[in-house]
């Protein structure tokens, strides 16, 4: 969500997400370890801009080093911000869970934190805000490369660099057959290894994770077709309700019942007139965290994928908020799951235990592919043409007038070689 839009409101609470929610990612930790004062300065500036009286930086209590570093920066700068120590569960970094954990307020179904007087932003975004305060555009990205690579690292890279260059910089993979996760293992997009030259880092890329081609839940989901997922839902769902019992949205009181959505998959009318089936509308509340398919379901089914499919069936329909009272589940604290348990269930437990990132690399590149749309809303309006010379930091796409959009800038010096959904720029080296 474009930050300049999100921060253009007055709120009671400003919450900074430093939970590093997804397993196997270490970017936020690196940012806090090395730019604590810059982050706190930006938080103070943003808090003043949104008139927030309550300012919290949410860090998992297991990350003791980062808590100490941020608290030291707060003390040095005499900041009004406070550290809130989150429990080590997934998805602690989900913005609606952070809102509930800190304020005990429940964001309404299909709502946003602003509805309860809160704005949530990421800790790495605060570093970008600090740069913006010093007239520096977002042209680099910090990200984690982990999993089955020779040298797992945190990288600082130009936006638009290819995944292949990032993986190669970390010594390449240590397995021959693998899949590539863009993001975290729970919610990241999954690609085949042949695609890595054509996937580019964007402003929202948090990590690149290499996992084996077989023997884990990520590989299984990637290899299933939509038809196969729906067929398995029809034939094997035992209506145990575990997916609903552990759903983070259901735990804070939203009326979302993945097991009921799964049940609807057996009816022909489900596909012909989905808009008339009110149960299916509950899928619109799914945050796609993956708890249901990666941990809860004893049959190894994919309620999340079914919800995603239903959302596509209902494209153009908005969830109509019902008048029920929002109350968290009584046993919410006992239904939170640690990342390690989820990774074990996914067949990645040993990788999680062994995973550590000790190196930091800064990469340059001679060619980038910069997406015109790296954000929710309308794509940026392209300002360059093929053959144009551009310089690093130059505005090459401006936020669409009157629409939810964001600017994009060139991350290298060079020549525009093609223009489309991706602006390709080649350096002069």
């Amino acid at each position: 969500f474009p930050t300049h839009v999100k921060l253009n409101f007055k709120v009671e609470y400003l919450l900074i997400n430093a939970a590093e929610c997804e397993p196997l990612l270490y970017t936020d930790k690196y940012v806090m370890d090395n730019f604590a004062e810059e982050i706190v300065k930006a938080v103070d500036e943003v808090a003043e801009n949104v008139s927030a009286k309550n300012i919290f930086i949410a860090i998992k209590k297991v990350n003791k080093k980062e808590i100490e570093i941020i608290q030291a920066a707060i003390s040095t700068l005499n900041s009004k911000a406070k550290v809130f120590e989150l429990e080590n569960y997934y998805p602690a970094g989900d913005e609606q869970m952070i809102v509930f954990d800190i304020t005990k307020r429940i964001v309404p179904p299909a709502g946003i934190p602003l509805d309860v007087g809160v704005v949530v932003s990421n800790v790495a975004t605060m570093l970008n805000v600090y740069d913006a305060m010093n007239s520096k555009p977002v042209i680099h990205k910090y990200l984690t490369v982990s999993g089955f690579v020779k040298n797992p690292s945190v990288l600082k890279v130009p936006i638009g660099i290819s995944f292949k260059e990032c993986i190669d910089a970390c010594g390449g993979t240590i397995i021959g057959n693998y899949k590539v996760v863009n993001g975290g293992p729970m919610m990241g997009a999954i690609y085949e290894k042949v695609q890595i030259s054509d996937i580019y880092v964007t402003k929202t890329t948090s990590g690149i994770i290499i996992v084996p081609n077989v023997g884990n839940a990520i590989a299984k989901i990637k290899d299933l077709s939509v038809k196969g997922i729906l067929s398995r839902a029809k034939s094997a769902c035992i209506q145990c309700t575990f997916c609903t019992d552990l759903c983070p949205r259901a735990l804070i009181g939203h009326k979302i019942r993945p097991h009921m959505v799964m049940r609807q998959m057996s009816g022909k009318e489900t596909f012909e007139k989905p808009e008339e089936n009110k149960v299916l509308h509950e899928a619109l509340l799914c945050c796609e965290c993956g708890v249901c398919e990666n941990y809860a379901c004893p049959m190894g089914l994919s309620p999340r994928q079914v919800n995603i499919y239903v959302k596509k069936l209902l494209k153009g329909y908005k969830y109509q908020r019902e008048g029920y009272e929002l109350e968290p589940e009584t046993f919410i604290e006992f239904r939170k799951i640690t990342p390690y348990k989820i990774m074990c269930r996914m067949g990645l437990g040993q990788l999680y235990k062994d995973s550590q990132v000790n190196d930091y690399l800064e990469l340059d590149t001679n060619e980038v592919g910069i997406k015109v749309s790296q954000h929710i809303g309308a794509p940026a309006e392209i300002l360059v043409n093929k053959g144009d010379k551009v310089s690093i930091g130059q505005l090459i796409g401006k936020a669409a007038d009157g629409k939810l959009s964001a600017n994009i800038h060139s991350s290298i010096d060079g020549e525009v070689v093609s223009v489309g959904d991706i602006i390709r720029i080649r350096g002069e080296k």
Side-chain angles (χ1 to χ4, degrees), residues 374-399:
Q374 301 184 40
H375 46 266
I376 291 174
E381 295 177 350
I382 299 172
L383 300 178
V384 293
N385 297 299
K386 181 179 178 180
D388 287 353
K389 300 289 186 180
V390 295
S391 58
I392 187 168
Q394 179 179 330
L395 186 68
I396 58 175
K398 71 180 184 72

Side-chain angles (χ1 to χ4, degrees), residues 5 37 101 107 223 235 280 302 414:
V5 177
E37 291 196 8
D101 284 343
V107 177
D223 291 338
S235 62
L280 291 185
S302 306

Side-chain angles (χ1 to χ4, degrees), residues 151-164:
N151 185 33
S153 305
V154 169
L155 308 183
K156 180 183 179 183
V157 300
I159 287 174
I161 193 172
S162 73
F163 274 31
K164 183 179 187 303

Side-chain angles (χ1 to χ4, degrees), residues 37-47 126 129-130 133:
E37 291 196 8
E38 290 88 339
I39 290 166
V40 173
K41 287 178 182 178
V43 170
D44 287 343
E45 186 75 14
V46 169
M126 288 299 103
V129 168
Y130 176 82
M133 289 160 54

